Amino acid sequence: MWLWIILIVVIVLILIFFTFGFYLQTSIPLVEGSLVDVDENLTKLIAKNDYDSFLVIQISHDDEFVQFKYSEEDGLLIDFPLVTDNQKAKTNQILSFCKREALEYEFLNDEEDQQIDIFPKGNQDQLVQIVKSILTEIFGVSEGTKVYFQLEL
């Protein structure tokens, strides 16, 4: 009898956590913008100076996106998840970009986690320029391309 009660409580707790997680994930709206809006969004993230804050830039409602975190202590973190085939196809481009621009990076390539983390250095203007270069060179974003920003401060 107690086993059934414990099982039911565990199932209810799991459902609550999944519902809450889904709510958090979907409660931060995507804001449509363009390459011009990168400055404003990245500037807000840098000004917040909190590694719990993040910025996601999604390219044209596709599965291609880039995640950013920033703290003065750790600097800017640019995270490229490599989950889908489209994302994995960008691996060599991202690594070549990092090598060409002499950017520090970490390539995690194991069965559980595949991603490239980039740790660019520089002032705010230099960081914005690096991010814009990544969007234009790796993802083909131009001035007219719609991108979507998800900023959690």
Side-chain angles (χ1 to χ4, degrees):
M1 168 95 171
W2 287 105
L3 184 59
W4 284 107
I5 293 172
I6 292 171
L7 182 62
I8 290 170
V9 168
V10 168
I11 290 172
V12 168
L13 287 174
I14 289 171
L15 289 173
I16 289 170
F17 285 125
F18 276 117
T19 303
F20 182 70
F22 179 75
Y23 170 76
L24 285 178
Q25 182 181 11
T26 59
S27 65
I28 304 166
L30 287 176
V31 176
E32 185 178 307
S34 68
L35 199 57
V36 174
D37 301 307
V38 169
D39 294 14
E40 177 186 348
N41 284 278
L42 198 57
T43 298
K44 287 179 182 177
L45 179 69
I46 290 170
K48 180 64 176 176
N49 191 23
D50 180 0
Y51 221 57
D52 290 331
S53 298
F54 64 87
L55 170 64
V56 175
I57 300 177
Q58 186 173 342
I59 293 82
S60 298
H61 277 307
D62 201 356
D63 66 353
E64 294 183 331
F65 62 94
V66 187
Q67 303 172 120
F68 304 88
K69 288 186 169 213
Y70 180 84
S71 75
E72 193 171 289
E73 181 180 315
D74 298 318
L76 184 65
L77 165 66
I78 305 173
D79 177 39
F80 294 92
L82 303 172
V83 179
T84 68
D85 290 338
N86 285 343
Q87 292 168 336
K88 289 177 183 178
K90 302 264 188 241
T91 300
N92 289 335
Q93 282 180 282
I94 297 167
L95 295 175
S96 294
F97 180 87
C98 290
K99 290 173 186 171
R100 186 186 79 225
E101 298 296 323
L103 299 175
E104 181 183 335
Y105 68 92
E106 182 178 20
F107 181 28
L108 303 171
N109 189 19
D110 59 39
E111 290 180 21
E112 295 173 13
D113 193 17
Q114 292 184 326
Q115 65 187 38
I116 299 171
D117 290 335
I118 301 174
F119 309 97
K121 305 290 184 227
N123 63 38
Q124 182 174 309
D125 291 335
Q126 291 167 323
L127 295 175
V128 167
Q129 189 53 48
I130 289 169
V131 171
K132 284 184 170 183
S133 294
I134 287 170
L135 293 173
T136 56
E137 292 181 36
I138 296 172
F139 295 98
V141 173
S142 66
E143 291 296 325
T145 305
K146 288 182 185 178
V147 294
Y148 300 88
F149 298 93
Q150 187 176 33
L151 183 59
E152 173 62 32
L153 300 176

